[in-house]
């Protein structure tokens, strides 16, 4: 399956695997696809260690990173960024979260919130913070950097192109794609509303051909609602040069999502997700849980903008995950993670490499079957 994407990236299959787990990235790359690490989940030191590990596993095969560089975000004092951002979080929001954990019987732990790296990670989700992560990424042999939540900064594009690195951007509407093209990106990822994480409201089957129409020859990847070979074939039929998959890897053994959450995924249906601002401050699709029901109450505060909301709630998720893993029923009711509507197709946990190879082979089979229809 040779496409404009496989030629550009030098990979066997037009399958991009996006995940925060280095082991998933390596597995997808080693299966002939293209692994992309969610870099914004890490501090610069952590990112450096993760990229070193990936490179040890993939034996020279290409891989990339993804960064969140939003256009709109709360700003703080550059000299005391974390402290100045933390000071903008209202006490009422802190009290609401603390009361919610108490209501659901989530036990306190010995962890000091002042040592929680989620503050630093959340503060990195802005141009200033992303620069430090880019310095780390560009010191490794990545071949693509992807950007989400707005056009990439001009210096990112210039720096990447000077180093021979492909720039990709995720878009949720045709108008977003037009702005990305003007910014000089090389690859467009048309992410439909079915996708997990930050996403818009347009369906993948509508969005993909709209973006292909204006891409002017640049490769377009379809994302959202793609977890099988049949769905991959459908994306190629829409004119995409490949697929960008995220949610499907959450059903892999290598993914680092806590097991209790994965078990909730296996029990969920495709209608058990929603778009919510209660974790990141921007609409992101995730598995519905008691967490979202609580934020929908009339007395609940409105979610804060990025990065204040993740700084508010990021400090408690390890506490919730740990309590859920220990069998705490209240924590399990609250527990959630970003996941797309394909969650309804999850049946069992599998190795990420097997998932990738299975998607490719099933896609080949579907394309052959379609070819037979056309020739009959």
């Amino acid at each position: 399956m040779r496409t404009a994407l496989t030629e550009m990236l030098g990979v066997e299959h037009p399958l991009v695997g996006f995940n925060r787990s280095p082991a998933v990235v390596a597995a997808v790359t080693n299966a002939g696809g293209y692994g992309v690490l969610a870099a914004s989940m890490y501090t610069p030191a952590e990112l450096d260690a993760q990229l070193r590990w990936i490179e040890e596993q993939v034996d020279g095969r290409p891989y990339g990173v993804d960064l969140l560089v939003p256009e709109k975000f709360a700003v703080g004092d550059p000299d005391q960024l974390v402290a100045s951002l933390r000071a903008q979080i209202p006490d009422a929001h802190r009290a609401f979260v603390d009361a919610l954990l108490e209501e659901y019987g989530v036990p306190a732990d010995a962890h000091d919130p002042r040592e929680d790296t989620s503050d630093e990670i959340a503060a990195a989700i802005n141009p200033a913070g992303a620069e430090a992560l880019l310095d780390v990424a560009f010191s490794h042999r990545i071949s693509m950097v992807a950007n989400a939540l707005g056009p990439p900064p001009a210096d990112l594009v210039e720096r990447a192109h000077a180093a021979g690195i492909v720039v990709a951007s995720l878009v949720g509407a045709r108008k977003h794609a037009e702005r990305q093209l003007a910014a000089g990106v090389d690859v467009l990822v048309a992410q439909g509303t079915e996708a997990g994480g930050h996403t818009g409201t347009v369906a993948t089957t509508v969005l993909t051909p709209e973006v292909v129409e204006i891409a002017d020859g640049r490769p377009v990847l379809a994302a959202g609602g793609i977890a099988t070979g049949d769905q991959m074939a459908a994306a190629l039929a829409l004119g995409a040069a490949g697929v960008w998959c995220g949610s499907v890897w959450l059903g892999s053994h290598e993914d680092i999502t806590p097991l209790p959450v994965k078990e909730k995924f296996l029990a969920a249906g495709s209608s058990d997700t929603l778009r919510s601002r209660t974790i990141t401050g921007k609409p992101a699709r995730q598995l519905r849980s008691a967490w979202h029901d609580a934020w929908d109450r009339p007395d609940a505060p409105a979610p804060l903008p990025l990065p204040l909301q993740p700084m508010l709630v990021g400090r408690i998720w390890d506490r919730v995950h740990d309590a859920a893993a220990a069998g705490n029923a209240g924590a399990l009711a609250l527990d959630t993670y970003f996941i797309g509507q394909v969650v309804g197709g999850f049946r069992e946990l599998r190795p990420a490499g097997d998932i990738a190879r299975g998607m490719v082979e099933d896609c080949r089979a579907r394309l052959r079957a379609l070819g037979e229809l056309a020739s009959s």
Side-chain angles (χ1 to χ4, degrees), residues 3 12 14 25 34 55 91 103 110 115 150 199 241 249 254 258 279 283 327 343 354 360 372:
T3 71
E12 297 177 52
V25 173
Y34 188 85
E55 290 173 354
D91 289 340
E103 175 187 348
E115 299 174 358
T199 185
W249 317 112
E254 293 90 338
I279 294 181
V343 69
D354 288 356
V360 170
E372 291 176 2

Side-chain angles (χ1 to χ4, degrees), residues 42 248 280 328:
Y42 298 103
V248 66
T280 71
N328 181 282

Side-chain angles (χ1 to χ4, degrees), residues 41-214:
M41 301 298 296
Y42 298 103
T43 64
E46 291 169 341
L47 178 61
D48 181 62
Q50 302 293 11
L51 297 185
R52 288 179 185 276
W53 185 89
I54 290 172
E55 290 173 354
E56 292 172 356
Q57 309 305 311
V58 300
D59 192 27
R61 296 181 181 88
Y63 75 97
V65 299
D66 174 275
L67 289 171
L68 296 178
V69 189
E71 284 187 283
K72 299 178 181 179
F73 52 90
V75 296
D77 182 350
D79 295 327
Q80 297 181 332
L81 185 58
V82 171
S84 63
L85 288 171
R86 190 185 295 131
Q88 298 178 48
I89 300 175
D91 289 340
H93 283 69
R94 298 181 187 277
F96 173 80
V97 171
D98 291 341
L100 180 58
L101 296 180
E102 182 176 358
E103 175 187 348
Y104 277 85
V106 179
D109 61 16
H111 183 67
D112 185 345
R114 291 171 297 180
E115 299 174 358
D116 195 331
T117 58
S118 64
D119 275 0
E120 282 70 24
I121 293 171
I125 306 176
N126 61 68
E131 190 69 26
L133 294 176
L134 280 173
D135 287 343
V136 172
F138 286 148
S139 72
H140 290 267
R141 53 174 188 76
I142 63 169
S143 58
M144 182 174 74
V145 57
N147 177 74
L149 301 183
D155 57 345
L156 185 158
V157 176
E158 294 171 2
R159 186 175 180 184
H161 286 171
I165 294 172
V166 171
V167 179
S169 285
L170 281 71
V171 300
R174 179 184 177 122
K175 63 181 180 181
H176 299 156
E178 292 171 343
R179 296 178 61 202
Q180 300 284 9
L181 291 171
V185 304
D186 307 296
V187 176
L188 292 169
V189 181
Q191 180 171 276
T193 191
E194 304 96 320
H198 296 111
T199 185
T201 60
V202 183
T204 302
T205 54
V206 174
L207 179 63
T208 301
E210 287 186 347
V211 176
V212 169
E213 181 182 11
I214 64 171

